[in-house]
């Protein structure tokens, strides 16, 4: 069954602790934290202090997604703050091999994210160093965008690459996930669905948002509603 990783980017920051607790009590598998620097992406969000605050109450892994330039400068900081996995963008790392080694050395699971234009083949030479691949299904920078349907071919390609590598690698899908798109991502081979808006801004609350995604992703889907 596909895992669900609520992205706190869409949470109400005035009640962040409460909202993270609600998400994990509702069965979230990981908490996804989007770090943006205003340079790699045209938005600024949060930094290590928020990861540290969330780590104090989280009982599930913290999946930290760095949308920043020169991520190597901050790997240690995020590890010290409580990140379980650290994902960097292939487009932000001219020395990707070195950064992945650095993440591993600080005791975190290394991940690589691919912007919509970046091909699956960009990971071929580092696949054995990776524990997570994040397939961006929107252009990173903002929550609430529409899922780019053309990305499912890339997810399938990565699924085949991961299977033939024999390594245990999660394939995340990130951006525009809702009750309609989660099944597309799962069918293509994703193992983790990252979802912000449809969890934290669900009209019936956070638990209902997670439940709706679970229902929609289940093979016998009856109650899926967009
Ligand atoms: C986008 C972020 C996503 C985002 C997903 O740059 O990486 O994690 O929060 O948000 P929704 O689910 O609203 O598309
Ligand atoms: Zn993200």
């Amino acid at each position: 069954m596909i895992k669900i990783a609520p992205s706190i980017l869409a949470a109400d920051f005035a009640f962040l602790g409460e909202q993270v607790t609600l998400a994990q009590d509702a069965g979230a598998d990981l908490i996804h934290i989007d770090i943006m620097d205003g340079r790699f992406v045209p938005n600024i969000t949060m930094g290590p202090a928020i990861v540290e605050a969330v780590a104090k109450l989280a009982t599930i892994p913290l999946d930290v997604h760095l949308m920043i330039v020169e991520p190597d400068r901050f790997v240690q900081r995020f590890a010290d703050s409580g990140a379980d996995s650290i994902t960097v963008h292939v487009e932000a790392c001219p020395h990707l091999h070195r950064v992945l080694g650095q993440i591993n050395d600080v005791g975190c699971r290394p991940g690589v994210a691919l912007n919509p234009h970046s091909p699956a083949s960009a990971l071929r030479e580092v696949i054995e160093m990776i524990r997570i691949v994040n397939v961006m299904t929107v252009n990173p920078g903002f929550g609430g965008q529409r899922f780019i349907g053309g990305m499912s071919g890339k997810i399938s390609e990565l699924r085949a690459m991961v299977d033939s590598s024999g390594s245990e690698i999660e394939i995340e899908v990130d951006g525009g996930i809702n009750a309609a798109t989660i099944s597309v991502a799962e069918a293509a081979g994703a193992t983790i669905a990252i979802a912000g808006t449809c969890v934290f801004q669900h009209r019936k609350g956070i638990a209902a948002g997670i439940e709706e995604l679970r229902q929609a992703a289940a093979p016998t889907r009856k109650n899926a509603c967009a």
Side-chain angles (χ1 to χ4, degrees):
M1 191 167 62
I2 195 164
K3 299 185 182 103
I4 296 181
S7 161
I8 62 168
L9 185 60
D12 181 341
F13 284 8
F15 302 96
L16 185 57
E18 203 175 290
Q19 298 215 328
V20 167
T21 303
L22 281 170
Q24 65 187 10
D25 289 352
D29 297 289
L30 309 98
I31 295 293
H32 185 78
I33 307 184
D34 286 309
I35 311 294
M36 305 187 190
D37 66 351
R39 293 187 63 203
F40 181 67
V41 289
N43 194 10
I44 297 176
T45 55
M46 44 204 142
I50 298 287
V51 176
E52 204 174 325
V54 173
K56 283 189 187 144
L57 47 87
T59 53
I60 53 179
L62 301 187
D63 182 39
V64 173
H65 179 189
L66 298 184
M67 284 159 278
I68 66 175
V69 298
E70 300 177 13
D72 51 295
R73 295 172 54 212
F74 294 96
V75 163
Q76 186 71 59
R77 280 287 297 285
F78 283 104
D80 293 346
S81 303
D84 289 282
S85 55
I86 297 180
T87 294
V88 296
H89 269 261
V90 68
E91 305 84 8
C93 297
H95 303 289
L96 182 62
H97 185 282
R98 182 188 292 155
V99 180
L100 294 173
Q102 193 188 354
I103 296 170
N104 190 56
D105 290 349
V106 297
C108 295
R109 290 190 301 146
V112 180
L114 297 172
N115 274 346
H117 75 275
S118 292
S121 60
L123 301 185
R124 199 170 299 282
E125 304 305 325
V126 289
I127 196 78
E128 279 167 14
M129 303 179 79
I130 296 175
R131 289 290 155 266
I132 296 171
V133 177
N134 176 319
V135 181
M136 292 301 309
T137 40
V138 296
N139 284 293
F142 302 93
Q145 303 183 77
R146 191 182 285 270
F147 182 87
I148 302 172
M151 293 298 111
S152 43
K154 181 156 72 180
I155 299 170
S156 312
E157 211 180 316
L158 285 162
R159 177 79 268 149
M161 198 189 290
V162 164
D163 289 348
S164 66
S165 79
S167 309
E168 276 198 28
I169 301 174
E170 301 278 13
I171 300 180
E172 295 184 334
V173 62
D174 191 4
I177 291 296
N178 57 34
T181 56
I182 193 169
S183 50
V184 174
E186 188 178 33
T191 56
I192 297 178
I194 295 164
T197 307
C198 76
V199 169
F200 286 105
Q201 293 177 23
H202 193 281
R203 65 195 186 287
K204 292 186 184 160
I206 292 166
I210 292 176
E211 181 55 24
E212 188 172 292
L213 290 175
R214 288 227 181 277
Q215 292 290 337
T220 50
R221 45 184 301 212
K222 285 187 186 137
N223 302 323
C225 45

